[in-house]
Amino acid sequence: MSEEEAPAYRPLGGATKRAEQGGARPLAQKRLALVTGGHRRLGGIIAAAFARAGYSLAIHGSHDTRLDSPLALTLEENATEWDGFTVDFTDPESAEELVALVAERFGRPPDVLVNSAAIFGQDRLDSVSADDLMRHYAVNCAAPTLLTKAFATIPAGTGDRCIVNILDQRIDHPHGDQLAYTLSKMALAGLTRLSASTLAPQVRVNAVAPGLTIATPDYDAAQMDRLSAMMPLERLPQAEQIAEAVLYLAGASAVTGQTLYIDGGAHLRSYDRDFMHLCR
Protein backbone atom coordinates (compact mmCIF):
# COMPACT_ATOMS: atom_id res chain seq x y z
CA MET A 1 0.00 0.00 0.00
CA SER A 2 1.43 3.38 -0.98
CA GLU A 3 1.58 6.31 1.45
CA GLU A 4 -1.25 7.99 -0.46
CA GLU A 5 -3.42 4.87 -0.06
CA ALA A 6 -2.64 4.42 3.65
CA PRO A 7 -5.64 4.68 6.00
CA ALA A 8 -6.22 8.04 7.68
CA TYR A 9 -6.39 6.43 11.10
CA ARG A 10 -3.72 4.53 13.00
CA PRO A 11 -4.78 1.37 14.84
CA LEU A 12 -3.02 0.39 18.04
CA GLY A 13 0.67 -0.23 17.40
CA GLY A 14 0.56 1.40 14.00
CA ALA A 15 2.96 4.15 14.94
CA THR A 16 5.48 1.63 16.18
CA LYS A 17 5.30 -0.29 12.91
CA ARG A 18 5.64 2.91 10.92
CA ALA A 19 8.67 3.95 12.99
CA GLU A 20 10.29 0.61 12.22
CA GLN A 21 9.64 1.28 8.53
CA GLY A 22 11.41 4.62 8.57
CA GLY A 23 9.95 6.94 11.19
CA ALA A 24 6.58 8.43 12.02
CA ARG A 25 5.14 11.13 9.76
CA PRO A 26 4.51 14.52 11.38
CA LEU A 27 0.79 15.23 11.65
CA ALA A 28 0.93 18.80 10.38
CA GLN A 29 -2.79 19.25 9.73
CA LYS A 30 -4.18 18.04 13.08
CA ARG A 31 -3.67 18.96 16.71
CA LEU A 32 -2.40 16.09 18.84
CA ALA A 33 -3.86 15.40 22.29
CA LEU A 34 -2.29 13.13 24.91
CA VAL A 35 -4.99 11.85 27.28
CA THR A 36 -3.77 9.91 30.31
CA GLY A 37 -6.15 7.19 31.43
CA GLY A 38 -7.76 7.82 28.06
CA HIS A 39 -8.71 4.26 27.16
CA ARG A 40 -11.78 3.81 29.39
CA ARG A 41 -14.47 5.39 31.60
CA LEU A 42 -14.29 9.19 31.80
CA GLY A 43 -10.87 9.32 30.15
CA GLY A 44 -12.25 7.32 27.23
CA ILE A 45 -15.20 9.68 26.84
CA ILE A 46 -12.80 12.64 26.84
CA ALA A 47 -10.64 10.92 24.21
CA ALA A 48 -13.74 10.27 22.08
CA ALA A 49 -14.67 13.97 22.22
CA PHE A 50 -11.22 14.90 20.91
CA ALA A 51 -11.56 12.31 18.13
CA ARG A 52 -14.89 13.76 17.03
CA ALA A 53 -13.30 17.24 17.05
CA GLY A 54 -10.67 16.08 14.58
CA TYR A 55 -7.66 15.64 16.87
CA SER A 56 -5.06 12.92 16.60
CA LEU A 57 -4.71 11.01 19.86
CA ALA A 58 -2.05 9.54 22.10
CA ILE A 59 -3.98 7.35 24.53
CA HIS A 60 -2.32 6.32 27.79
CA GLY A 61 -3.17 3.47 30.13
CA SER A 62 -1.38 2.47 33.31
CA HIS A 63 -1.41 -1.28 32.63
CA ASP A 64 -2.88 -1.67 29.13
CA THR A 65 -4.57 0.36 26.42
CA ARG A 66 -7.52 -1.90 25.66
CA LEU A 67 -10.18 0.54 24.58
CA ASP A 68 -13.75 0.75 25.80
CA SER A 69 -15.95 -0.40 22.91
CA PRO A 70 -17.64 3.01 22.34
CA LEU A 71 -14.23 4.69 22.13
CA ALA A 72 -12.91 2.13 19.66
CA LEU A 73 -15.99 2.68 17.49
CA THR A 74 -15.60 6.47 17.66
CA LEU A 75 -11.96 6.28 16.60
CA GLU A 76 -12.92 4.10 13.65
CA GLU A 77 -15.89 6.23 12.62
CA ASN A 78 -13.81 9.42 12.68
CA ALA A 79 -10.74 7.87 10.99
CA THR A 80 -8.70 9.07 13.96
CA GLU A 81 -4.94 8.66 13.83
CA TRP A 82 -3.95 7.36 17.25
CA ASP A 83 -1.66 5.13 19.22
CA GLY A 84 -1.59 3.64 22.72
CA PHE A 85 1.07 4.04 25.42
CA THR A 86 1.34 1.95 28.59
CA VAL A 87 3.12 3.62 31.53
CA ASP A 88 2.61 2.79 35.22
CA PHE A 89 2.33 6.09 37.10
CA THR A 90 2.96 4.46 40.47
CA ASP A 91 6.53 5.09 39.33
CA PRO A 92 6.01 8.79 38.58
CA GLU A 93 9.45 9.24 37.04
CA SER A 94 8.25 7.09 34.14
CA ALA A 95 5.58 9.71 33.43
CA GLU A 96 8.23 12.23 32.44
CA GLU A 97 9.32 9.94 29.61
CA LEU A 98 5.80 9.65 28.15
CA VAL A 99 5.77 13.02 26.38
CA ALA A 100 9.04 12.25 24.60
CA LEU A 101 7.76 8.81 23.60
CA VAL A 102 4.62 10.35 22.11
CA ALA A 103 6.72 12.91 20.22
CA GLU A 104 8.96 10.15 18.87
CA ARG A 105 6.09 8.02 17.62
CA PHE A 106 4.03 10.84 16.11
CA GLY A 107 6.97 12.90 14.85
CA ARG A 108 5.94 15.91 16.96
CA PRO A 109 5.10 16.75 20.59
CA PRO A 110 1.47 16.89 21.74
CA ASP A 111 -0.41 20.18 21.61
CA VAL A 112 -2.75 19.23 24.45
CA LEU A 113 -2.13 17.22 27.62
CA VAL A 114 -5.13 15.97 29.62
CA ASN A 115 -4.15 14.64 33.04
CA SER A 116 -7.07 12.28 33.58
CA ALA A 117 -5.45 9.11 34.98
CA ALA A 118 -6.14 8.63 38.69
CA ILE A 119 -6.53 6.05 41.43
CA PHE A 120 -9.27 6.14 44.05
CA GLY A 121 -9.16 4.33 47.38
CA GLN A 122 -11.34 3.97 50.47
CA ASP A 123 -9.58 5.42 53.51
CA ARG A 124 -10.14 7.94 56.28
CA LEU A 125 -7.86 9.69 58.73
CA ASP A 126 -8.19 6.82 61.23
CA SER A 127 -7.30 4.18 58.64
CA VAL A 128 -5.05 5.81 56.02
CA SER A 129 -1.54 4.44 55.69
CA ALA A 130 1.68 5.95 54.43
CA ASP A 131 1.43 3.64 51.41
CA ASP A 132 -2.09 4.91 50.64
CA LEU A 133 -0.88 8.50 50.77
CA MET A 134 2.22 7.92 48.66
CA ARG A 135 0.45 5.84 45.98
CA HIS A 136 -2.30 8.41 45.50
CA TYR A 137 0.13 11.30 45.45
CA ALA A 138 2.37 9.48 42.94
CA VAL A 139 -0.41 8.79 40.44
CA ASN A 140 -2.74 11.74 41.01
CA CYS A 141 -0.25 14.57 41.50
CA ALA A 142 3.44 13.65 41.07
CA ALA A 143 2.90 12.05 37.65
CA PRO A 144 0.87 15.03 36.34
CA THR A 145 3.55 17.36 37.70
CA LEU A 146 6.33 15.56 35.83
CA LEU A 147 4.16 15.33 32.71
CA THR A 148 3.63 19.09 32.96
CA LYS A 149 7.38 19.60 33.24
CA ALA A 150 8.06 17.41 30.21
CA PHE A 151 5.23 18.98 28.17
CA ALA A 152 6.50 22.50 28.90
CA THR A 153 10.17 21.81 28.21
CA ILE A 154 10.06 19.62 25.09
CA PRO A 155 10.96 21.59 21.94
CA ALA A 156 7.72 22.64 20.29
CA GLY A 157 6.37 25.25 17.93
CA THR A 158 4.75 28.55 18.78
CA GLY A 159 1.13 27.42 18.42
CA ASP A 160 -1.39 27.28 21.26
CA ARG A 161 -0.41 24.54 23.72
CA CYS A 162 -2.38 23.69 26.84
CA ILE A 163 -2.84 21.34 29.76
CA VAL A 164 -6.17 20.34 31.32
CA ASN A 165 -6.10 18.67 34.73
CA ILE A 166 -9.06 16.59 35.93
CA LEU A 167 -9.85 17.47 39.55
CA ASP A 168 -12.95 16.72 41.65
CA GLN A 169 -15.74 18.96 42.89
CA ARG A 170 -15.03 17.88 46.48
CA ILE A 171 -11.91 20.07 46.64
CA ASP A 172 -14.09 23.06 47.62
CA HIS A 173 -15.79 21.24 50.52
CA PRO A 174 -13.66 18.19 51.37
CA HIS A 175 -15.09 15.50 53.62
CA GLY A 176 -13.39 12.68 55.49
CA ASP A 177 -13.90 9.87 52.99
CA GLN A 178 -11.21 8.80 50.49
CA LEU A 179 -8.67 10.97 52.32
CA ALA A 180 -5.58 10.07 50.27
CA TYR A 181 -7.46 10.66 47.00
CA THR A 182 -8.87 13.99 48.20
CA LEU A 183 -5.50 15.29 49.34
CA SER A 184 -3.90 14.34 46.03
CA LYS A 185 -6.62 16.15 44.05
CA MET A 186 -6.22 19.24 46.22
CA ALA A 187 -2.50 19.15 45.45
CA LEU A 188 -3.29 18.85 41.72
CA ALA A 189 -5.52 21.93 42.02
CA GLY A 190 -2.54 23.77 43.47
CA LEU A 191 -0.38 22.61 40.57
CA THR A 192 -2.97 23.98 38.15
CA ARG A 193 -2.75 27.52 39.51
CA LEU A 194 1.01 27.48 40.05
CA SER A 195 1.87 26.11 36.61
CA ALA A 196 -0.64 28.41 34.87
CA SER A 197 1.28 31.36 36.27
CA THR A 198 4.72 29.89 35.74
CA LEU A 199 4.27 28.60 32.19
CA ALA A 200 2.41 31.56 30.65
CA PRO A 201 2.49 32.64 27.88
CA GLN A 202 3.92 29.49 26.27
CA VAL A 203 1.52 26.98 27.87
CA ARG A 204 -2.00 27.46 29.21
CA VAL A 205 -3.06 25.36 32.22
CA ASN A 206 -6.67 24.87 33.32
CA ALA A 207 -8.75 22.24 35.07
CA VAL A 208 -12.16 20.59 35.06
CA ALA A 209 -13.67 19.47 38.37
CA PRO A 210 -16.36 16.84 37.73
CA GLY A 211 -19.10 15.79 40.07
CA LEU A 212 -20.58 12.31 40.32
CA THR A 213 -21.14 11.14 36.77
CA ILE A 214 -20.31 7.52 35.83
CA ALA A 215 -21.90 5.34 38.48
CA THR A 216 -19.93 2.38 39.79
CA PRO A 217 -21.59 -0.81 41.14
CA ASP A 218 -21.63 0.92 44.55
CA TYR A 219 -24.70 2.86 43.39
CA ASP A 220 -28.19 1.75 42.35
CA ALA A 221 -30.61 3.64 40.12
CA ALA A 222 -32.85 4.82 42.94
CA GLN A 223 -29.87 6.18 44.87
CA MET A 224 -28.67 8.05 41.77
CA ASP A 225 -32.11 9.64 41.42
CA ARG A 226 -32.07 10.79 45.04
CA LEU A 227 -28.53 12.14 44.69
CA SER A 228 -29.58 14.07 41.58
CA ALA A 229 -32.32 15.76 43.61
CA MET A 230 -29.71 16.84 46.20
CA MET A 231 -27.74 18.91 43.69
CA PRO A 232 -28.43 22.66 43.45
CA LEU A 233 -29.43 22.12 39.80
CA GLU A 234 -31.30 18.91 40.72
CA ARG A 235 -29.31 16.96 38.18
CA LEU A 236 -25.98 15.18 37.93
CA PRO A 237 -23.58 15.93 35.08
CA GLN A 238 -23.27 13.64 32.09
CA ALA A 239 -19.79 12.40 31.26
CA GLU A 240 -20.12 13.93 27.79
CA GLN A 241 -20.64 17.35 29.40
CA ILE A 242 -17.37 16.97 31.27
CA ALA A 243 -15.65 16.04 28.01
CA GLU A 244 -17.18 19.12 26.35
CA ALA A 245 -15.64 21.32 29.06
CA VAL A 246 -12.22 19.75 28.52
CA LEU A 247 -12.54 20.28 24.78
CA TYR A 248 -13.57 23.90 25.33
CA LEU A 249 -10.50 24.59 27.47
CA ALA A 250 -8.28 22.92 24.86
CA GLY A 251 -9.37 25.54 22.36
CA ALA A 252 -9.88 28.56 24.65
CA SER A 253 -6.70 30.41 23.74
CA ALA A 254 -7.43 33.36 26.09
CA VAL A 255 -8.11 31.20 29.18
CA THR A 256 -5.57 30.01 31.75
CA GLY A 257 -5.55 29.31 35.49
CA GLN A 258 -9.28 28.47 35.54
CA THR A 259 -11.23 25.54 36.98
CA LEU A 260 -14.62 24.65 35.49
CA TYR A 261 -16.92 22.77 37.88
CA ILE A 262 -19.16 20.39 35.91
CA ASP A 263 -21.11 18.99 38.84
CA GLY A 264 -24.72 20.16 38.92
CA GLY A 265 -23.59 22.77 41.46
CA ALA A 266 -22.34 20.23 44.00
CA HIS A 267 -19.26 22.32 44.87
CA LEU A 268 -21.57 25.00 46.30
CA ARG A 269 -22.66 22.72 49.15
CA SER A 270 -20.97 20.70 51.85
CA TYR A 271 -21.71 16.96 52.16
CA ASP A 272 -20.83 14.97 55.28
CA ARG A 273 -19.82 11.83 53.40
CA ASP A 274 -18.88 10.72 49.92
CA PHE A 275 -21.90 10.37 47.62
CA MET A 276 -21.67 6.58 47.70
CA HIS A 277 -22.70 6.68 51.39
CA LEU A 278 -25.61 9.10 50.93
CA CYS A 279 -29.27 8.53 49.94
CA ARG A 280 -29.14 4.77 50.47
Side-chain angles (χ1 to χ4, degrees), residues 65-86:
T65 52
R66 292 192 296 271
L67 306 182
D68 277 351
S69 296
L71 173 58
L73 181 60
T74 298
L75 296 177
E76 183 176 357
E77 288 177 342
N78 290 274
T80 301
E81 189 162 19
W82 72 280
D83 209 341
F85 301 82
T86 303

Side-chain angles (χ1 to χ4, degrees), residues 17 21 27 31 35 41 68 99 121 128 152 156 209 218 237 278:
K17 295 174 184 175
Q21 295 167 0
L27 308 177
R31 297 187 82 197
V35 182
R41 291 184 59 79
D68 277 351
V99 172
V128 70
D218 300 303
L278 303 179

Side-chain angles (χ1 to χ4, degrees), residues 189-208:
L191 172 68
T192 301
R193 292 188 58 84
L194 186 154
S195 56
S197 175
T198 302
L199 299 180
Q202 286 79 16
V203 177
R204 298 183 297 108
V205 186
N206 294 288
V208 171

Side-chain angles (χ1 to χ4, degrees), residues 2 14 25 30 81 97 108 128-129 143 179 193 253 277:
S2 69
R25 294 197 309 269
K30 293 185 177 182
E81 189 162 19
E97 303 169 0
R108 54 171 294 188
V128 70
S129 68
L179 177 69
R193 292 188 58 84
S253 60
H277 299 292

Side-chain angles (χ1 to χ4, degrees), residues 29-33 54-56 108 111-112 160-162 250-251:
Q29 302 306 314
K30 293 185 177 182
R31 297 187 82 197
L32 172 61
Y55 283 69
S56 297
R108 54 171 294 188
D111 303 287
V112 179
D160 181 50
R161 304 183 73 232
C162 68

Side-chain angles (χ1 to χ4, degrees), residues 169 172-173 209-211 228 230-237 261-271 275:
Q169 59 81 24
D172 266 27
H173 293 285
S228 295
M230 287 179 60
M231 302 300 109
L233 292 180
E234 297 184 353
R235 66 177 67 94
L236 294 170
Y261 289 83
I262 315 299
D263 64 352
H267 70 285
L268 299 173
R269 295 181 179 172
S270 178
Y271 301 93
F275 291 138

